[in-house]
């Protein structure tokens, strides 16, 4: 399956697989963020995607960020529906 990805920011990084056999691709933010304890932020990715009709994209927390820094996703798994064409943002929280 092919998913069209559009860079909305010149610094955006296209999602990629860290290892050949990975089930999911890594998603990157545009810029650096500081999240104070208990704070939530919207991390922008600088990309938009065209998910095929009948499918969705799911955004899940990274276990390393959770273990090392207490960072998680508020509405996990985050769902991007096939009809959404705006910039992908991820709501992060510092637990």
């Amino acid at each position: 399956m092919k998913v069209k990805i559009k860079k909305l920011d010149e610094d955006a990084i296209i999602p990629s697989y860290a290892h050949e056999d990975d089930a999911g691709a890594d998603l990157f933010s545009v810029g650096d963020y500081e999240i104070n304890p208990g704070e939530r932020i919207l991390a922008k990715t600088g990309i938009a995607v065209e998910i095929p009709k009948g499918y969705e994209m799911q955004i899940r927390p990274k276990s390393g960020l959770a273990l090392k820094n207490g960072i998680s996703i508020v509405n996990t798994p985050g769902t991007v529906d096939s009809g959404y064409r705006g910039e992908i943002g991820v709501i992060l929280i510092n637990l």
Side-chain angles (χ1 to χ4, degrees):
M1 173 186 312
K2 292 189 179 189
V3 175
K4 293 181 183 178
I5 301 172
K6 180 178 182 180
K7 287 177 78 169
L8 304 174
D9 184 296
E10 66 182 29
D11 293 329
I13 300 170
I14 300 298
S16 62
Y17 295 91
H19 304 93
E20 184 179 333
D21 294 333
D22 284 355
D26 291 335
L27 185 62
F28 303 90
S29 67
V30 176
D32 295 323
Y33 295 91
E34 183 173 315
I35 310 171
N36 295 316
E39 184 179 30
R40 295 180 305 271
I41 61 133
L42 178 64
K44 296 185 175 194
T45 63
I47 64 166
V49 296
E50 187 177 316
I51 305 296
K53 187 175 181 177
Y55 290 87
E56 68 170 334
M57 177 176 137
Q58 291 189 354
I59 301 171
R60 299 174 181 271
K62 294 282 289 182
S63 57
L65 279 175
L67 178 62
K68 295 174 189 172
N69 304 102
I71 304 297
S72 190
I73 297 174
V74 175
N75 60 328
T76 187
T79 297
V80 180
D81 289 311
S82 62
Y84 181 70
R85 296 291 185 263
E87 180 175 7
I88 303 299
V90 182
I91 305 168
L92 299 174
I93 187 166
N94 182 346
L95 301 171

